[in-house]
Amino acid sequence: MNIPGSGLAKGLAVTLRTMTKRSVTAQYPEVQPELPPRTRGVIALLEENCTVCMLCARECPDWCIYIDSHKETLPAAEPNARARTRNVLDRFAIDFSLCMYCGICIEVCPFDALFWSPEFEYAETDILELTHERDRLREWMWTVPPPPALDPAAEDPKEIAMARKAADKLAAAAEAAAAEAVAAGPAGGEPA
Amino acid sequence: MSLLDTLLRCVAVVVVFLTFPLIIGQTEHKVMAHMQGRLGPMYAGGFHGWAQLVADGVKFAQKEDVVPLDADRRVFQLAPAVALLPYMLVLLVIPVGPEGFVGQAVDAGLIFVLAVMGIGVLGSLMAGWASANKFSLLGGLRTAAQLMSYELPMLLAAASVAMAAGTLSLPGILGAFHWWWVPWQLIGAFVFFTAGLAELQRPPFDMPVADSEIIFGAYTEYTGLRFAFFLLSEYAGILVISALTAVLFLGGWHGPMPESLGWLWTLLKTFALAFVVIWLRVTYPRLREDQLMRFAWTCLIPLALLQLAITGVVKVAIS
């Protein structure tokens, strides 16, 4: 049974309830937003890890990563060895006016040189200034949060799992050797 | 009554007239914002935007005062004053506390109040006619239609209180007030308050200024200070309607505290009703023009007549 006017009363109740709740307005310049971990703010570069393999630049869908490098010859470590060459990074720039924040470069980097940073206050007044060079990208590295802890029930990270496997194998081998030694023990004295 | 006394009362009314509508306006900013999950003004004045309306006033004062070429200049320029001043006059006769705590006690106060408030609506009618703008004219005509249909239930509801008290003087009505008048005159209070809202053109009865249909109705062509006067008259109108409802139907200064604090009760009731006005604005969407008319003629007027009948029967029964 609908009492006439109950809908009107319901409307009043809704607005009154909303008034007693906290408003959702974010007072951004005064109060920094609380961003979730893994926020895709900007791409940071840990250039020490970069080997100039160019995978990121090639995988980038809109080609917004610019990499320049040169080769450097290292003197041979041993007298008869060949001289080694290695790549030296000269320029690493990302044009954030083109970047669409797909994160493929970060996924594809085999040496963990690229990371998502939650930093987002890098607006510029000129579109050309949105091409950020390696020093700026390196600075953003300091804003990258540590990776979130794994869930309690999650399986171990690959490195740890492999290390444990190897350790288990070694332990099993040592045990087997010990057991063999013990089994050989009672019949001891005989020449092998 | 000495000259000084008269002067003091006039100054007090002007001060109330200039400050209370601003308080209501600021309350509306904040209450509406929070009812919509926002914060409202936060910067002006430093603390939670308390000076927002002052800033608005400064902005309005700086704007160019434009009068359209085809407008009826005199009427166009006069309209904001006609809309605004009646509310100040009404404030003069509304009793705040017992024993002469009123700008000027008028014997036929109720009639004076209702008559003068009718003039206020003329302001928007003048504005709509003089603007030489189709939308303004539409707004003005809607104002006129609204005035026609809502003045009647308002008068009937007020008449019911006058009948109950046996007097037309506002302090006299309050003098005769008993607490059981509130349930007795409940229907009348509803009719009076609703019709008052419609007369103020407040949402959900704001078809005369319906900005999504006819731009801003009668105020479309107004700029600067004149526009600000129209806005101010709306808030002064809220103050007047709330105060009148409090005085006529909620017992004004009567309340569970010594008589000397009566003015506090009047203010409390007035601001509580002003909050309700804001609350209704936030909650309900605008009615359609024909719904508005139907509501007045098929709902409010029969209710007002019913209230009159109840008042009469009870009055005869207890006398």
Side-chain angles (χ1 to χ4, degrees):
Chain A
M1 177 65 195
N2 253 346
I3 307 162
S6 63
L8 295 178
K10 222 178 270 176
L12 286 174
V14 166
T15 40
L16 198 64
R17 211 176 316 126
T18 313
M19 191 177 75
T20 56
K21 279 190 201 143
R22 245 190 127 63
S23 59
V24 296
T25 306
Q27 290 180 283
Y28 156 57
E30 277 81 31
V31 182
Q32 286 291 322
E34 271 205 29
L35 296 170
R38 307 187 190 182
T39 300
R40 297 185 165 202
V42 76
I43 295 164
L45 167 73
L46 185 60
E47 61 180 59
E48 289 84 342
N49 280 359
C50 181
T51 61
V52 202
C53 67
M54 304 291 284
L55 278 179
C56 51
R58 276 189 288 171
E59 291 294 331
C60 178
D62 43 14
W63 290 49
C64 67
I65 300 179
Y66 306 104
I67 299 177
D68 289 341
S69 69
H70 67 269
K71 277 199 191 323
E72 201 173 66
T73 312
L74 293 178
E78 291 165 31
N80 290 331
R82 267 191 308 157
R84 297 270 176 149
T85 59
R86 85 186 168 106
N87 291 322
V88 178
L89 191 64
D90 291 331
R91 177 181 188 228
F92 193 107
I94 300 180
D95 186 350
F96 284 102
S97 65
L98 288 178
C99 177
M100 56 188 193
Y101 303 90
C102 62
I104 289 177
C105 51
I106 294 165
E107 292 295 321
V108 86
C109 179
F111 300 104
D112 279 353
L114 291 171
F115 292 89
W116 279 118
S117 154
E119 178 65 35
F120 60 94
E121 289 170 315
Y122 54 97
E124 301 287 348
T125 48
D126 188 343
I127 196 168
L128 295 177
E129 288 164 18
L130 273 171
T131 306
H132 289 302
E133 299 292 336
R134 61 195 273 193
D135 45 348
R136 190 82 193 272
L137 299 177
R138 182 64 183 86
E139 264 166 44
W140 279 326
M141 206 46 223
W142 302 112
T143 64
V144 173
L150 292 172
D151 290 340
E155 61 182 50
D156 286 328
K158 215 197 286 174
E159 301 90 331
I160 293 182
M162 278 172 67
R164 176 159 303 148
K165 215 172 175 184
D168 285 351
K169 218 183 219 171
L170 275 179
E175 210 169 285
E180 209 168 294
V182 170
E190 284 176 27
Chain B
M1 202 187 274
S2 67
L3 184 68
L4 185 70
D5 185 52
T6 313
L7 212 64
L8 216 62
R9 280 163 193 268
C10 287
V11 169
V13 167
V14 169
V15 167
V16 165
F17 179 70
L18 289 181
T19 52
F20 279 34
L22 293 187
I23 296 173
I24 293 176
Q26 181 70 16
T27 315
E28 177 170 37
H29 270 315
K30 290 310 250 186
V31 166
M32 187 152 75
H34 282 279
M35 282 184 171
Q36 295 167 343
R38 300 181 287 120
L39 286 170
M42 287 299 280
Y43 291 98
F47 180 74
H48 285 259
W50 65 270
Q52 183 61 46
L53 288 180
V54 180
D56 282 351
V58 172
K59 185 196 80 174
F60 279 129
Q62 288 171 340
K63 285 199 171 183
E64 188 186 1
D65 190 17
V66 181
V67 181
L69 200 61
D70 288 337
D72 190 336
R73 283 191 81 85
R74 281 299 242 336
V75 180
F76 185 85
Q77 289 176 330
L78 207 60
V82 175
L84 188 57
L85 287 181
Y87 291 120
M88 186 155 77
L89 288 180
V90 171
L91 279 186
L92 199 63
V93 303
I94 294 179
V96 180
E99 289 142 33
F101 197 164
V102 49
Q104 172 67 50
V106 179
D107 282 342
L110 191 55
I111 293 196
F112 175 80
V113 161
L114 292 173
V116 170
M117 274 178 55
I119 299 177
V121 184
L122 269 185
S124 1
L125 198 54
M126 282 166 65
W129 180 252
S131 291
N133 178 319
K134 281 178 258 182
F135 296 107
S136 296
L137 186 56
L138 272 175
L141 291 179
R142 285 187 180 190
T143 307
Q146 205 157 319
L147 172 71
M148 292 292 288
S149 33
Y150 279 90
E151 196 81 337
L152 186 56
M154 201 169 166
L155 278 174
L156 290 174
S160 154
V161 179
M163 242 168 83
T167 171
L168 283 173
S169 141
L170 292 175
I173 290 173
L174 278 178
F177 180 84
H178 296 283
W179 68 265
W180 50 268
W181 280 29
V182 175
W184 182 23
Q185 304 289 341
L186 195 62
I187 305 173
F190 168 74
V191 171
F192 186 86
F193 193 63
T194 317
L197 275 188
E199 199 136 316
L200 293 178
Q201 302 162 12
R202 286 288 296 178
F205 305 112
D206 62 337
M207 307 75 198
V209 292
D211 50 351
S212 49
E213 303 165 26
I214 51 173
I215 308 180
F216 214 58
Y219 316 137
T220 303
E221 296 289 356
Y222 281 87
T223 55
L225 267 185
R226 288 179 206 282
F227 182 71
F229 283 157
F230 275 122
L231 285 188
L232 186 63
S233 79
E234 183 176 337
Y235 291 105
I238 297 176
L239 174 66
V240 165
I241 283 294
S242 306
L244 269 184
T245 312
V247 165
L248 291 177
F249 296 95
L250 300 180
W253 68 65
H254 293 279
M257 257 198 281
E259 286 263 288
S260 55
L261 282 175
W263 58 273
L264 197 62
W265 274 111
T266 312
L267 287 189
L268 264 178
K269 289 169 183 173
T270 304
F271 277 107
L273 283 171
F275 173 79
V276 173
V277 173
I278 297 164
W279 190 10
L280 291 171
R281 171 186 177 171
V282 182
T283 306
Y284 299 135
R286 182 186 304 129
L287 269 72
R288 221 167 48 217
E289 186 68 20
D290 62 307
Q291 290 170 331
L292 172 86
M293 289 299 153
R294 206 174 59 216
F295 182 61
W297 292 102
T298 65
C299 183
L300 284 187
I301 289 180
L303 278 178
L305 290 173
L306 175 71
Q307 174 65 60
L308 266 183
I310 295 174
T311 310
V313 168
V314 173
K315 187 79 180 164
V316 169
I318 59 171
S319 63

